[in-house]
Amino acid sequence: QVQLVESGGALVQAGGSLRLSCAASGRTFSTDAMGWFRQAPGKEREFVAVISRSADNTYYRQHVKGRFTISRDNAKNIMYLQMNSLKPEDTAVYYCAAGSGFLPVEPEQYNYWGQGTQVTVSS
């Protein structure tokens, strides 16, 4: 069993930055690939970024590539999402998740989810 807790969501102006954190507990953190998803009102949950167990590999949704950076610290059981140059369309609840496989991108590949943190970007 893995427990995930996100933090760092806030209201920010367009062009601003935020760093989201995802703290994990319950079992060895480095056994899982870790990902970020987001869900805007009225829309389906969508993939944002994923990082491999060893942190050597990452993959991003096209719309956030170059603006967002995913990272993890296996010694501290924590994952981050640095978000720069935020846009109003980035507004959503952001979820972290622990999954199986190398770089999973589908929600069905993730076994554990956090409760989400709200990110609101004003224009």
Side-chain angles (χ1 to χ4, degrees):
Q1 195 78 358
V2 176
Q3 292 79 44
L4 302 173
V5 179
E6 303 95 336
S7 61
L11 171 63
V12 64
Q13 287 188 332
S17 298
L18 282 175
R19 189 177 78 160
L20 305 183
S21 299
C22 174
S25 62
R27 74 176 194 191
T28 304
F29 182 62
S30 60
T31 61
D32 297 301
M34 296 295 297
W36 287 98
F37 287 75
R38 66 187 183 187
Q39 187 167 18
K43 295 187 177 181
E44 292 187 352
R45 190 169 298 189
E46 63 181 21
F47 166 77
V48 175
V50 60
I51 188 166
S52 63
R53 290 176 292 180
S54 65
D56 291 338
N57 298 92
T58 59
Y59 180 72
Y60 297 90
R61 178 181 184 83
Q62 184 63 37
H63 292 325
V64 306
K65 197 174 295 184
R67 299 189 296 123
F68 291 9
T69 303
I70 190 172
S71 62
R72 66 189 293 168
D73 185 336
N74 286 344
K76 297 182 178 179
N77 287 3
I78 195 163
M79 176 179 65
Y80 302 101
L81 184 68
Q82 177 67 43
M83 305 187 295
N84 299 327
S85 302
L86 283 162
K87 303 176 181 180
E89 51 263 43
D90 294 319
T91 295
V93 177
Y94 282 71
Y95 299 89
C96 69
S100 56
F102 179 50
L103 291 173
V105 299
E106 299 294 336
E108 296 75 20
Q109 295 175 284
Y110 287 82
N111 303 308
Y112 303 100
W113 294 83
Q115 83 289 348
T117 186
Q118 176 71 48
V119 172
T120 303
V121 184
S122 63
S123 57

